[in-house]
């Protein structure tokens, strides 16, 4: 640190902030954080969930957020929560995002959405049959037994 640098700056002069805060402050968020922001922009019914998440996590943690997205999507599919974001819109959005084949996006969609869908015999497993072709192929790779 040089004398003319602010006390909270790193050696490269950037403010010393947590990684998610840096991504949020940047106009060029990482793909996984941008996925979360794009989902909320596309499906405003996720806004309350997003705001609660950011407050509780002190930033955006895409994998943690998408666990909740999965739960909300399955609840909507089962018709258990009339206020849950529409499952069809969520699947359509995620299919479009998955088709881009961006590593940061794929990691979140596969690891924190597809892998958390209900297993065979559990309520809501039938949602797997509603996946678009791109997500269905990725699902088959990570959970070949369903």
């Amino acid at each position: 640190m040089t004398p003319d640098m602010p006390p909270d700056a790193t050696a490269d002069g950037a403010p010393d902030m947590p990684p998610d805060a840096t991504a949020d402050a940047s106009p060029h968020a990482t793909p996984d954080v941008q996925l979360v922001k794009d989902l909320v922009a596309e499906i405003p019914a996720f806004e309350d969930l997003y705001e609660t998440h950011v407050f509780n996590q002190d930033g955006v943690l895409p994998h943690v957020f998408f666990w909740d997205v999965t739960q909300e999507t399955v609840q909507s599919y089962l018709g258990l929560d009339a206020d849950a974001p529409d499952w069809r819109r969520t699947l359509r959005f995620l299919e479009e995002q998955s088709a881009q084949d961006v590593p940061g996006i794929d990691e979140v969609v596969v690891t924190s959405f597809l892998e958390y869908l209900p297993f065979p015999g559990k309520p809501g497993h039938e949602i797997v049959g509603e996946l678009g072709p791109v997500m269905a192929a990725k699902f088959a790779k990570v959970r070949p037994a369903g």
Side-chain angles (χ1 to χ4, degrees), residues 26-45:
S26 168
H28 304 289
T30 58
D32 56 347
V33 171
Q34 193 60 51
L35 173 67
V36 170
K37 292 179 177 189
D38 290 347
L39 174 70
V40 175
E42 180 75 22
I43 306 171

Side-chain angles (χ1 to χ4, degrees), residues 17-30 32-37 50 53-55 57-62:
M17 298 166 56
D20 284 336
T22 302
D24 285 343
S26 168
H28 304 289
T30 58
D32 56 347
V33 171
Q34 193 60 51
L35 173 67
V36 170
K37 292 179 177 189
Y50 174 78
H53 169 82
V54 170
F55 178 80
Q57 303 300 326
D58 198 28
V60 179
L61 301 176

Side-chain angles (χ1 to χ4, degrees), residues 38-101:
D38 290 347
L39 174 70
V40 175
E42 180 75 22
I43 306 171
F46 280 114
E47 284 178 2
D48 287 344
L49 183 66
Y50 174 78
E51 290 173 10
T52 300
H53 169 82
V54 170
F55 178 80
N56 289 336
Q57 303 300 326
D58 198 28
V60 179
L61 301 176
H63 288 279
V64 174
F65 182 74
F66 263 85
W67 186 88
D68 290 331
V69 168
T70 307
Q71 304 313 304
E72 292 283 317
T73 303
V74 172
Q75 292 296 309
S76 173
Y77 177 77
L78 292 171
L80 299 176
D81 184 354
D83 295 328
D86 181 68
W87 64 272
R88 293 170 200 84
R89 287 185 69 193
T90 304
L91 293 185
R92 192 169 33 252
F93 172 83
L94 293 176
E95 178 73 12
E96 291 167 3
Q97 295 297 308
S98 293
Q100 294 179 32
D101 207 26

